[in-house]
Amino acid sequence: MQASAVEISKVNKFYGPFHALKDVDLSIPPGKVTCLIGPSGSGKSTLLRCVNFLEEYDSGEIRIDGINIKDIPAELRVNTMSSVDQEIVMYSASVLDNITMWDETIAVEDVIQATKDACIYEDILALPNAFDHILSEGGKNLSGGQRQRLAIARAMLKNAPILILDEATSALDTQSERLVQAALDELMKHRTTLVIAHRLSTIEKADRIVVMRDGRIVEEGAHEVLLRQEGIYAQLHRLQFHT
């Protein structure tokens, strides 16, 4: 698996009369972590959904390794990206099936390694019937942190070159948050990662921070550089983290 480059050129997106994305230009190099931040309604999630084939954009172009994503066949898109979202989809099926998504070609040892890397292996062994344990619909018989780590193991097995994250660690207890972040750090290795960031440590460690407002990119750069500029990022940083 080799990390991919993503190029976003003059992308516009409308929801009826509402202009959600306005001439967005962004170059994302392979293997780097890019964090999107900004107030609610700034366009962060819309942009990620366009990159992740979940929404059509109205004009402009998004390219992966130089290929327009609209030219990528549907059967190949599934292997291009993996994601860990705020709402984790879990099925009323075994833990194993929820991790492999019923792909019987995945070796057992690969499943075990992925669950160890995702810090969920010991939790699975503690369940009645372990990997054969049947989850309730939505995974409600797991904690929020366990669901996230199970989703991370799923993404590790998919092994896609691009990773999209919408972190949801704010509602987790300290121990769960630590385990989830450790699993995310492992998952991000050697992948091109786009993340809507909510945690200060994730933002500070990113290779680049992209600040969005009203559907536009208004600032971008590394954490320390943006702080020194005393612009929008510095203001958001002070407001959110009381520094």
Side-chain angles (χ1 to χ4, degrees), residues 21 72 100 112 138 142 158 161 174 176 183 205-207 213 219 228 243:
L21 296 175
I72 299 176
T100 64
I112 291 173
L142 298 178
K158 189 174 182 181
T174 303
S176 294
K205 288 189 297 185
D207 296 291
R213 185 172 69 180
E219 287 181 356
R228 287 197 297 270
T243 59

Side-chain angles (χ1 to χ4, degrees), residues 31-101:
K32 301 298 183 180
V33 177
T34 299
C35 284
L36 303 179
I37 72 166
S40 178
S42 61
K44 306 183 302 294
S45 295
T46 299
L47 182 59
L48 287 195
R49 288 178 65 82
C50 287
V51 172
N52 200 18
F53 310 109
L54 297 176
E55 289 196 25
E56 291 283 341
Y57 46 95
D58 294 293
S59 64
E61 194 171 282
I62 298 175
R63 298 180 297 276
I64 296 174
D65 293 332
I67 302 172
N68 190 322
I69 65 170
K70 293 183 178 180
D71 295 330
I72 299 176
E75 63 271 17
L76 297 181
R77 292 181 177 185
V78 68
N79 295 319
T80 302
M81 298 186 194
S82 56
S83 62
V84 180
D85 303 315
Q86 289 184 350
E87 298 297 327
I88 306 300
V89 177
M90 293 288 165
Y91 302 94
S92 181
S94 70
V95 170
L96 180 63
D97 286 339
N98 270 281
I99 296 172
T100 64
M101 299 302 287

Side-chain angles (χ1 to χ4, degrees), residues 120-209:
I120 191 64
Y121 180 70
E122 297 297 334
D123 295 60
I124 293 171
L125 293 187
L127 293 171
N129 304 315
F131 282 89
D132 293 324
H133 183 71
I134 302 298
L135 298 182
S136 60
E137 195 70 36
K140 292 183 175 60
N141 47 345
L142 298 178
S143 70
Q146 287 172 326
R147 287 195 297 272
Q148 275 202 314
R149 284 179 278 142
L150 209 65
I152 291 168
R154 183 191 290 168
M156 285 176 170
L157 284 175
K158 189 174 182 181
N159 202 26
I162 299 172
L163 174 65
I164 292 182
L165 301 174
D166 190 350
E167 291 183 285
T169 59
S170 58
L172 301 177
D173 60 65
T174 303
Q175 174 69 3
S176 294
E177 184 178 13
R178 183 186 65 80
L179 290 172
V180 168
Q181 190 58 44
L184 286 172
D185 289 342
E186 185 67 28
L187 179 59
M188 288 189 287
K189 288 180 180 177
H190 315 301
R191 290 176 172 84
T192 302
T193 303
L194 290 85
V195 52
I196 293 178
H198 302 293
R199 302 180 75 254
L200 178 59
S201 60
T202 301
I203 296 170
E204 290 181 337
K205 288 189 297 185
D207 296 291
R208 182 169 48 171
I209 299 159

Side-chain angles (χ1 to χ4, degrees), residues 209-225:
I209 299 159
V210 174
V211 184
M212 296 191 69
R213 185 172 69 180
D214 297 329
R216 298 183 186 276
I217 293 175
V218 291
E219 287 181 356
E220 57 180 296
H223 169 71
E224 293 297 338
V225 173

